[in-house]
């Protein structure tokens, strides 16, 4: 099954278990949301820029709960401070949440809740090697950092940023869905001459086994409706679509930093091959001239055909 075909399946059920404010080294606070679901036992995450982007499952009032219990799980408005007693009202900031009395559902009051606005979004799959182990085999860590930076900015060059609002949905599907152990085996196959797609196939895995339905469900739970998607992957754009609840209104390109500035980004033999494979084998929309090569045997010899993607 392809990613686009799986987009038509029913959404998984997701529940935001907890939310907490995280001060960051780059400037704006973020609100980290941890999600449970009925598809797997992994802890998927939403990294949220903007206190007013609210999980519907987290903020729903529950029978018999106290205001203290709501604050502890992160279902509060404004900012916590020592001695605060009310989760649903921040008297210091003059903010108060509204709820449906019959169901306990949060009402999307424009004064307190981000609602029906175009939102900068990155749906990001976990990459331990690229995000934690300084790998120059892929650009996953660079894309993760760049997405977060854009969400805090008004503009970067020609790209309109999130101006303090945005969501990075962080899905725990390492190695395009094959797991870290198999991914390391795939790296060894790449050192033996395979590209990233060939290596997955040689290990009897699909070229891309990721499932982004959890990402759709998390965005809908956060009240996101119109998405400005940070991606070069056209299949991911199709995955975001879930009418009438979710719609991709714009693709925001993720241009490798080394293409913009010679002194930034990743410079390695491996990353050049990785980016070529993304374009040539996976249809990614990279927007700088890039030499691609595909080999075809003619008269027992190999000829190289060169393409340019613009």
């Amino acid at each position: 099954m392809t990613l686009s075909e799986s987009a038509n399946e029913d959404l998984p059920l997701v529940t935001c278990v907890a939310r907490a404010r995280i001060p960051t080294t780059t400037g704006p606070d973020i609100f980290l949301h941890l999600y449970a679901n009925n598809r797997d036992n992994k802890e998927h995450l939403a990294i949220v820029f903007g206190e007013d982007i609210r999980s519907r499952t987290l903020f729903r009032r529950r029978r018999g709960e106290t205001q203290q219990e709501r604050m502890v799980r992160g279902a509060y408005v404004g900012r916590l401070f020592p001695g605060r007693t009310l989760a649903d009202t921040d008297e210091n900031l003059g903010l108060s949440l509204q709820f449906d009395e019959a169901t306990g559902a949060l009402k999307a009051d424009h004064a307190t809740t981000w609602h029906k606005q175009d939102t900068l979004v990155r749906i990001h799959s976990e990459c331990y090697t690229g995000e934690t182990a300084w790998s120059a085999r892929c650009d996953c860590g660079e894309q993760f950092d760049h997405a977060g930076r854009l969400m805090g900015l008004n503009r970067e060059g020609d790209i309109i940023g999130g101006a303090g609002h945005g969501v990075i949905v962080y899905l725990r599907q390492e190695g395009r869905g094959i797991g870290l152990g198999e991914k390391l085996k795939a790296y060894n196959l790449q050192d033996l001459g395979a590209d990233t797609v060939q290596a997955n196939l040689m290990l009897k895995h699909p070229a891309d086994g990721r499932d982004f339905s959890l990402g759709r469900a998390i965005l809908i739970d956060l009240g996101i409706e119109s998405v400005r998607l940070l991606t070069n992957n056209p299949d991911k754009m199709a995955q975001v679509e879930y009418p009438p609840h979710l719609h991709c209104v714009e693709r925001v390109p993720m241009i490798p930093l080394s293409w913009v500035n010679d002194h930034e980004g990743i410079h390695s033999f491996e990353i050049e091959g990785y980016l070529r494979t993304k374009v040539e084998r996976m249809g990614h929309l990279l927007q700088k001239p890039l030499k691609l090569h595909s080999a075809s045997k003619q008269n027992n010899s190999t000829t190289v055909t060169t393409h340019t993607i613009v």
Side-chain angles (χ1 to χ4, degrees):
M1 177 182 295
T2 67
L3 295 180
S4 295
E5 288 170 340
S6 66
N8 294 321
E9 293 185 344
D10 291 337
L11 281 181
L13 297 176
V14 298
T15 301
C16 186
V17 175
R19 161 188 180 259
R21 181 183 65 87
I22 308 293
T24 70
T25 59
T26 58
D29 289 353
I30 61 171
F31 288 82
L32 189 60
H33 296 60
L34 186 144
Y35 277 87
N37 70 89
N38 66 342
R39 290 276 180 89
D40 59 39
N41 60 0
K42 297 177 182 179
E43 294 180 323
H44 302 279
L45 302 165
I47 301 166
V48 174
F49 292 71
E51 189 277 334
D52 55 350
I53 297 179
R54 307 195 187 283
S55 160
R56 278 28 178 190
T57 55
L58 181 78
F59 274 85
R60 181 187 294 272
R61 280 181 168 172
R62 303 172 186 175
R63 187 182 300 275
E65 70 177 350
T66 67
Q67 290 287 293
Q68 177 73 10
E69 288 170 337
R70 289 179 63 77
M71 285 190 288
V72 169
R73 76 166 187 266
Y76 64 87
V77 64
R79 187 169 180 133
L80 296 180
F81 53 85
R84 180 169 168 174
T85 59
L86 297 175
D88 301 335
T89 299
D90 185 332
E91 294 179 348
N92 288 346
L93 297 178
L95 299 174
S96 185
L97 299 177
Q98 304 298 320
F99 298 87
D100 185 290
E101 293 298 328
T103 66
L106 176 72
K107 291 183 179 180
D109 182 348
H110 287 276
T112 61
T113 304
W114 185 259
H115 183 55
K116 291 187 177 180
Q117 300 181 65
D118 295 349
T119 307
L120 195 60
V121 169
R122 166 82 181 161
I123 299 180
H124 188 91
S125 296
E126 178 181 34
C127 178
Y128 180 86
T129 52
E131 297 159 6
T132 307
W134 312 289
S135 172
R137 288 184 181 269
C138 68
D139 59 348
C140 301
E142 177 182 296
Q143 289 189 338
F144 179 83
D145 292 342
H146 194 194
R149 185 167 65 253
L150 284 171
M151 289 175 188
L153 297 175
N154 291 328
R155 179 181 289 272
E156 184 178 79
D158 295 332
I159 295 176
I160 298 174
H165 281 92
V167 177
I168 301 176
V169 178
Y170 190 88
L171 300 177
R172 312 300 290 275
Q173 42 189 10
E174 180 78 47
R176 297 200 304 278
I178 69 175
L180 184 56
E182 292 296 279
K183 177 180 176 180
L184 297 182
K185 295 176 185 177
Y187 282 170
N188 291 330
L189 288 171
Q190 289 174 37
D191 284 345
L192 290 168
D195 64 35
T196 181
V197 170
Q198 293 167 335
N200 274 26
L201 296 176
M202 291 169 70
L203 291 169
K204 310 301 182 184
H205 297 297
D208 193 337
R210 292 175 294 177
D211 177 5
F212 293 107
S213 61
L214 282 165
R216 290 199 303 275
I218 288 172
L219 289 173
I220 291 170
D221 178 68
L222 290 170
I224 305 300
E225 298 180 10
S226 299
V227 171
R228 301 177 58 231
L229 189 65
L230 283 157
T231 189
N232 298 323
N233 186 347
D235 209 0
K236 196 178 285 187
M237 295 165 62
Q239 280 279 304
V240 168
E241 293 291 333
Y242 196 77
H245 306 289
L246 196 61
H247 180 53
C248 181
V249 297
E250 180 185 357
R251 182 183 76 86
V252 182
M254 299 290 287
I255 302 171
L257 296 182
S258 62
W259 290 10
V260 178
N261 189 327
D262 288 339
H263 303 292
E264 295 183 5
I266 303 168
H267 299 268
S268 70
F269 169 79
E270 289 85 355
I271 194 67
E272 290 301 318
Y274 178 76
L275 293 175
R276 277 198 301 271
T277 300
K278 274 190 168 184
V279 176
E280 187 172 35
R281 301 291 299 276
M282 304 178 74
H284 284 214
L285 305 171
L286 292 169
Q287 296 181 326
K288 177 183 176 180
L290 177 68
K291 288 185 178 180
L292 309 178
H293 54 274
S294 57
S296 60
K297 292 186 177 180
Q298 295 180 353
N299 299 325
N300 296 321
S301 64
T302 300
T303 61
V304 177
T305 304
T306 302
H307 311 269
T308 302
I309 299 296
V310 294

